[in-house]
Amino acid sequence: MENKISVSLIQEVMEEAYETFKNNNEGANANYIPFLANVPSDLFGIAICLQSGKILKVGDTSFVFGIESVSKVPTAILILKQYGAEKVVQMIGADATGLPFNSIFAILLENDHPSTPLVNAGAIAACSMVLPAGDNKQKWDAITENIEQLCGSAPVLLEELYKSESETNFNNRAISWLLKNYNRIYDDPMSSLDLYTRQCSLGITAEQLAIMSGTIANDGINPVTGKIIFDSAYASKITSMIASVGFYQHTGDWLYESGLPAKTGVGGGVMGVYPGIFGISAFAPPLDSAGNSVKAQLAIKFIMNKLKLNIFNNDRPVITE
Ligand code: GLN
């Protein structure tokens, strides 16, 4: 069956989602990173980037917020580009942990088999892999340039967030040394952690996140700039990683209810990839117990369900003007 959807209907449904959930006050801002606790809790935005490059948006889509764990996605793409799919799965893995994003237990359980670049341990290992080895300045440039290409515009470093997170990231320091213990970190542990902390402290907007998701959905070609950002072979690789672990211990429930591979961050951002159709993002700071934005989840599920979109259905939507 063909599901024909007009651009104006998508915009209408996004607005309906926004109105339905804007006054929802469940959840709480992340409080283990002091900076994030102070971001206004009522911010809320939703954006979609269509394959045509058209951007649909509603709410606070140009507010700059902490990208946090969503940054794990672009850096995973960067190491796929630098090392290829085979090496990434050997050196880190592509497995779901079923455990919280910052789990130490997951490292102990899988010490013979690293998990995925989309949880803290694998993301710190991914930062350690970024080339050129041993040169944090050039590694940082590679990380930020990659994000700039995926979004079509540059992210900004939120210095205060970086300071706040660097002063409080004791759990991540433990993770980095544990990785060293298992020979699963591939550059200096503390400088790799510093790169990770800095990438999490990048400021991004919901619109930029939608374009990044749109680039993945469009097989590596940025729909807005038209530039080829990565080899199309990596689009399905990164999307499979997002699908398997994007909501940490709630990933199965999320996929079941939304039908969309998506990745969250404790800054309140979520990016979702509908291969061949669109990239979607939503942003709202209050989080549930797994660190996933409450309103972003509600909004994306509402849009997917209302438009009868689900990557596991066999009716491909056709978006018409
Ligand atoms: N920088 C955060 C951390 O490492 C990111 C966590 C997240 O967004 N889930 O704890």
Side-chain angles (χ1 to χ4, degrees):
M1 246 182 34
E2 199 180 69
N3 181 7
K4 274 201 179 161
I5 303 172
S6 66
V7 171
S8 58
L9 178 65
I10 300 177
Q11 178 73 38
E12 243 170 66
V13 172
M14 288 168 71
E15 280 163 23
E16 202 184 332
Y18 180 80
E19 290 303 323
T20 307
F21 302 116
K22 74 169 186 227
N23 295 323
N24 177 305
N25 55 15
E26 288 165 72
N29 286 30
N31 60 8
Y32 74 104
I33 300 171
F35 177 93
L36 297 178
N38 296 324
V39 176
S41 300
D42 57 353
L43 290 163
F44 183 29
I46 312 165
I48 284 184
C49 172
L50 300 173
Q51 299 296 89
S52 62
K54 193 178 178 87
I55 311 284
L56 310 176
K57 43 193 174 175
V58 56
D60 301 307
T61 52
S62 36
F63 182 85
V64 177
F65 59 93
I67 186 170
E68 294 297 343
S69 281
V70 181
S71 67
K72 291 166 177 162
V73 172
T75 300
I77 293 173
L78 179 60
I79 59 167
L80 281 167
K81 284 171 80 165
Q82 291 186 336
Y83 289 78
E86 201 58 38
K87 271 254 177 286
V88 168
V89 87
Q90 279 166 10
M91 294 172 77
I92 298 183
D95 221 355
T97 61
L99 288 165
F101 59 83
N102 54 2
S103 178
I104 286 186
F105 196 45
I107 307 171
L108 302 175
L109 279 175
E110 301 207 54
N111 66 56
D112 63 328
H113 177 74
S115 60
T116 164
L118 302 192
V119 299
N120 289 19
I124 297 166
C127 287
S128 79
M129 283 171 69
V130 171
L131 299 171
D135 185 336
N136 257 26
K137 161 86 181 72
Q138 285 196 57
K139 287 170 79 139
W140 176 243
D141 289 347
I143 288 172
T144 50
E145 273 160 28
N146 178 53
I147 296 178
E148 177 169 353
Q149 288 176 1
L150 287 162
C151 297
S153 57
V156 287
L157 182 65
L158 300 174
E159 294 280 359
E160 253 187 90
L161 175 55
Y162 172 52
K163 187 166 178 287
S164 179
E165 199 158 331
S166 300
E167 284 166 356
T168 53
N169 62 352
F170 309 113
N171 190 82
N172 288 339
R173 288 182 217 175
I175 288 177
S176 308
W177 285 116
L178 202 51
L179 290 174
K180 175 77 178 165
N181 187 52
Y182 291 124
N183 290 323
R184 284 172 44 193
I185 195 157
Y186 308 101
D187 204 333
D188 176 71
M190 287 301 107
S191 43
S192 304
L193 174 61
D194 183 54
L195 272 181
Y196 167 77
T197 309
R198 250 192 288 169
Q199 76 171 22
C200 286
S201 308
L202 285 169
I204 201 100
T205 66
E207 179 168 351
Q208 284 175 303
L209 275 193
I211 299 172
M212 174 149 65
S213 315
T215 303
I216 300 171
N218 199 29
D219 278 344
I221 301 172
N222 185 317
V224 175
T225 64
K227 292 196 181 130
I228 300 173
I229 313 303
F230 61 86
D231 190 305
S232 62
Y234 302 138
S236 53
K237 298 297 181 202
I238 187 66
T239 307
S240 73
M241 288 175 175
I242 293 172
S244 63
V245 80
F247 276 70
Y248 312 113
Q249 68 271 40
H250 291 174
T251 305
D253 288 345
W254 165 261
L255 261 189
Y256 185 87
E257 289 170 6
S258 69
L260 183 76
K263 178 78 195 80
T264 74
V266 291
V270 174
M271 60 172 276
V273 179
Y274 197 140
I277 310 296
F278 61 52
I280 183 169
S281 75
F283 157 64
L287 312 175
D288 66 13
S289 59
N292 302 323
S293 167
V294 174
K295 283 199 281 202
Q297 292 181 72
L298 289 169
I300 295 175
K301 277 196 258 188
F302 180 95
I303 294 165
M304 292 297 289
N305 290 321
K306 188 101 189 193
L307 293 172
K308 297 194 169 47
L309 299 175
N310 188 318
I311 63 152
F312 300 109
N313 287 347
N314 66 2
D315 58 339
R316 301 292 294 165
V318 176
I319 298 178
T320 57
E321 269 308 312

